[in-house]
Amino acid sequence: MVENCIVKNNSLHSVGLILIVLWSISAQATTYYVKTGGNNSSAGTSWSTAKADLQNALNASSVGDQIWIAAGTYKPTLDPSTGTASGTTRDYSFYLDKDIEIYGGFAGTETLLSQRNSASNPVILSGDINAGGAATNDCYHVFITEGLSSAAVLDGVTITGGKADGSSMIIYSGQNYYQNSGGGMRNHGSSPTLTDVTISGNTAASFGGGIYNRTSSSPTLTNVTISGNTASTDGGGIYNYSSSSPILTNVTIRDNTAGSSGGGMINYSSSPTLTNVTIYGNTASTNCGGMRNILSSSTIVNTLFWGNIQGTSSAVAGADIYNNFSTT
């Protein structure tokens, strides 16, 4: 009887320790605030002490923290290679390699996440660092990520104005990011969760005008719109490469253009899952305006392909889906 009592007490003691550890981890999470007119020298832990730049808040945050962004347009201010404002401004981007949660859509007074409204309070992450000037001066990438899990969240923002037309690269978190791919967002070994995000008006000289997912990057996209992006080669909207298999639900991919193939999406050795997705009005000059699969296996459920153009026609075989050594 004594031994039984000791075992029970030890079990209760262990449970108590676990609960204390879990509480301690939760208690350490911090919310950072960003708003136009904020001050980067401030703590950023309330609306009254909000930071002015998103990257400043990203750098201050730790795994598990949240960032709340008030309505406004925010532009990259630092070079990921150095973490400073030195160097070529076109190399500037928002960059992240730790699992935090980023939420847009705030007016700047809310105390609860549920109070935000991203439609009424739009947050725009823009690579147009020349403030409406020549697009040749825009950032090569608006947002780059490295090594994120699905615990990393980007929610309620628009990504626009990236122009990946460079001929060199930057190095971030030990990886090479070439300047010619992933104008809107470029993920490397990274699988963040994107919800209520619009990726529009970005370009790339090679791959992935809107998004370039490389090397086991499999983000989860829900209620996302990818529109009006351009790649001079492949994947106007999205390019998935090397075991990058994103999960798309309630996503619209429209009016994207590729100079060669995969106007809406191209999958190379990658196997995305599409559910309730609409892919329409995308164009590719050579192969497949909608979605091209190369050495891939894609799962498509309850999804609409419509009006995608190969060359100059939407009636030609393969205008919507074109498979090369692939199973759909």
Side-chain angles (χ1 to χ4, degrees):
M1 293 295 293
V2 172
E3 289 181 353
N4 287 339
C5 289
I6 292 174
V7 170
K8 289 179 180 179
N9 287 337
N10 284 340
S11 298
L12 289 173
H13 179 66
S14 298
V15 171
L17 287 175
I18 292 172
L19 290 174
I20 290 172
V21 170
L22 291 175
W23 175 86
S24 177
I25 293 173
S26 176
Q28 292 173 1
T30 301
T31 298
Y32 289 93
Y33 300 79
V34 179
K35 67 179 181 181
T36 58
N39 187 339
N40 288 333
S41 297
S42 298
T45 52
S46 67
W47 286 121
S48 61
T49 64
K51 294 182 176 294
D53 296 330
L54 172 57
Q55 191 61 52
N56 193 280
L58 291 171
N59 291 348
S61 66
S62 300
V63 172
D65 288 347
Q66 292 186 357
I67 296 177
W68 293 10
I69 313 174
T73 297
Y74 301 86
K75 301 179 182 182
T77 54
L78 300 176
D79 183 336
S81 295
T82 62
T84 69
S86 61
T88 303
T89 55
R90 294 199 66 195
D91 280 331
Y92 291 6
S93 68
F94 298 112
Y95 52 92
L96 183 65
D97 63 357
K98 51 194 172 186
D99 288 340
I100 64 172
E101 300 176 10
I102 306 167
Y103 297 96
F106 295 91
T109 58
E110 296 86 349
T111 57
L112 297 174
L113 189 62
S114 60
Q115 294 173 327
R116 70 191 178 112
N117 187 321
S118 57
S120 300
N121 303 301
V123 170
I124 300 171
L125 307 183
S126 173
D128 182 16
I129 55 175
N130 200 36
T136 53
N137 293 324
D138 291 348
C139 296
Y140 294 120
H141 318 285
V142 179
F143 214 119
I144 64 174
T145 76
E146 167 67 33
L148 301 181
S149 76
S150 58
V153 173
L154 184 60
D155 187 315
V157 303
T158 292
I159 296 175
T160 188
K163 189 174 178 63
D165 64 347
S167 57
S168 186
M169 66 181 180
I170 61 171
I171 299 175
Y172 172 60
S173 199
Q175 299 297 331
N176 297 332
Y177 286 79
Y178 289 91
Q179 298 166 338
N180 62 2
S181 301
M185 186 173 199
R186 179 168 174 144
N187 302 305
H188 186 279
S190 192
S191 302
T193 298
L194 276 62
T195 304
D196 190 24
V197 170
T198 296
I199 299 175
S200 181
N202 303 283
T203 65
S206 291
F207 310 127
I211 306 177
Y212 183 36
N213 295 313
R214 182 180 174 89
T215 313
S216 301
S217 292
S218 301
T220 299
L221 280 63
T222 305
N223 298 331
V224 169
T225 297
I226 300 168
S227 65
N229 302 286
T230 300
S232 297
T233 306
D234 298 327
I238 308 176
Y239 193 109
N240 299 309
Y241 178 76
S242 184
S243 300
S244 294
S245 302
I247 299 173
L248 284 68
T249 306
N250 298 332
V251 171
T252 298
I253 302 172
R254 62 176 177 84
D255 301 328
N256 301 285
T257 302
S260 181
S261 64
M265 177 190 297
I266 189 165
N267 306 303
Y268 192 101
S269 294
S270 298
S271 303
T273 299
L274 283 65
T275 305
N276 299 337
V277 174
T278 299
I279 300 177
Y280 74 94
N282 302 285
T283 301
S285 298
T286 305
N287 287 313
C288 188
M291 183 171 79
R292 185 181 185 188
N293 301 303
I294 305 171
L295 301 173
S296 299
S297 178
S298 301
T299 300
I300 303 173
V301 180
N302 197 37
T303 289
L304 173 66
F305 289 80
W306 171 67
N308 297 291
I309 299 172
Q310 177 175 304
T312 59
S313 175
S314 60
V316 65
D320 286 322
I321 303 177
Y322 189 92
N323 289 320
N324 298 103
F325 307 103
S326 299
T327 300
T328 301

